[in-house]
Amino acid sequence: MKTLSENACFGGTQGVYSHASTSCACDMTFAVFLPEEAKDGPVPVLWYLSGLTCTHENAMTKAGAQAWAAEHGIALIFPDTSPRGDDVADDEAYDLGKGAGFYVDATQDPWAPNFQMWTYITDELPALIGENFAIDMDRQGITGHSMGGHGALTMAMGLPGRFKSVSAFAPISNPTAADWGRKQLAAYLGDDETKWAAHDATLMMAEKGFDGPILIDTGTNDQFIDLLKPEALAAAIATKRQQATVRLQPGYDHSYFFVSTFMEDHVAFHADALYAE
């Protein structure tokens, strides 16, 4: 692991690091915020998964999460959204290839050699974090925006017991029924739609649900709301009688102005779960 930068931040440290990933077969970059309390021992952690076209840097610099994480004594992890490098497959469209890993393990060429983002986020990177940072891996929450909200919800439901809480900002909620989803799932996983279900939060909610609290915010002026399908996930939550708070925020769009506005609520929501006895 290489340290690319470390800066004092709200009494703690905001660092950016890189390492040679075995699952993605390329160098990967990620960011970690450690609050001041980490100097005295392991602290709970909130994962933030970013959306299409983003890297580790977008939320690190735009979401305003560090201030609220410092207030609650919580670490933050900002992974990248896809493998990177000259030898990594890509596509001319912004919603496939680099910056658009969709948090799945690709089985189809040309994506399979590198696009193993599910394994990277759920296995390889947590192991690296646990070995190198003062983070309590028994107290984890997960959140994300758009494609990252999709990843957060599917990982929370797909890994029972891993996360104590999950939230999402404008998540892609029903990708098997939307253009933001069908294209990417077919490209990465093939045409057998039965293999897509494990990466659709609405279908997973109907089948499994989540053993813990859920918070979801979506703006009513989100320019992509027809692709996000919040109503499908809300209906599955109601049918499942899942513990959840689902909010449509009037006037807000898909931007980081929206994310930063409600970041305080989300960090406090996770803090309540992570520090619960």
Side-chain angles (χ1 to χ4, degrees):
M1 191 182 75
K2 298 178 181 178
T3 299
L4 303 182
S5 65
E6 287 185 335
N7 299 94
C9 184
F10 293 100
T13 302
Q14 177 63 65
V16 179
Y17 310 91
S18 69
H19 71 114
S21 167
T22 56
S23 53
C24 294
C26 64
D27 287 345
M28 295 291 287
T29 302
F30 64 96
V32 176
F33 169 74
L34 291 176
E36 187 174 12
E37 289 85 346
K39 298 174 184 176
D40 299 320
V43 295
V45 63
L46 175 60
W47 293 77
Y48 182 101
L49 305 185
S50 287
L52 287 167
T53 75
C54 293
T55 70
H56 69 281
E57 190 173 18
N58 295 72
M60 182 184 77
T61 59
K62 294 180 180 180
Q66 293 92 337
W68 309 118
E71 183 174 305
H72 292 284
I74 293 173
L76 300 168
I77 302 173
F78 304 101
D80 203 348
T81 56
S82 78
R84 307 279 175 176
D86 293 340
D87 297 328
V88 174
D90 201 8
D91 190 88
E92 293 181 357
Y94 74 94
D95 58 355
L96 189 67
K98 294 178 185 177
F102 258 76
Y103 303 103
V104 304
D105 282 350
T107 59
Q108 306 299 301
D109 289 332
W111 314 107
N114 301 104
F115 282 74
Q116 302 296 309
M117 289 302 294
W118 179 279
T119 295
Y120 177 71
I121 298 294
T122 66
D123 186 10
E124 183 178 3
L125 188 54
L128 186 69
I129 294 290
E131 292 172 1
N132 290 278
F133 298 93
I135 289 177
D136 182 355
M137 301 303 283
D138 290 328
R139 291 187 291 166
Q140 300 184 68
I142 191 167
T143 188
H145 174 227
S146 193
M147 179 184 73
H150 140 80
L153 290 166
T154 57
M155 288 178 181
M157 288 186 278
L159 299 167
R162 171 76 65 92
F163 301 103
K164 294 186 178 298
S165 50
V166 59
S167 72
F169 300 87
I172 299 173
S173 300
N174 192 194
T176 64
D179 289 342
W180 267 1
R182 293 190 62 83
K183 170 185 176 180
Q184 294 82 1
L185 294 174
Y188 294 140
L189 302 179
D191 294 331
D192 182 356
E193 296 189 20
T194 62
K195 296 179 180 178
W196 300 2
H199 299 286
D200 185 307
T202 296
L203 300 181
M204 294 184 74
M205 177 58 65
E207 179 184 353
K208 296 183 176 183
F210 176 67
D211 186 19
I214 297 174
L215 172 62
I216 299 172
D217 280 311
T218 304
T220 60
N221 282 9
D222 192 308
Q223 58 270 47
F224 305 112
I225 197 165
D226 290 338
L227 298 172
L228 304 177
K229 295 189 175 295
E231 67 281 359
L233 180 57
I237 287 171
T239 300
K240 192 68 173 178
R241 297 176 179 172
Q242 166 73 46
Q243 175 189 1
T245 300
V246 180
R247 307 187 298 193
L248 292 176
Q249 300 291 359
Y252 285 90
D253 59 17
H254 201 70
S255 71
Y256 265 90
F257 296 111
F258 156 67
V259 173
S260 60
T261 298
F262 298 101
M263 182 57 70
E264 179 183 6
D265 288 357
H266 283 245
V267 174
F269 162 81
H270 288 283
D272 287 344
L274 295 173
Y275 279 107
E277 294 295 335

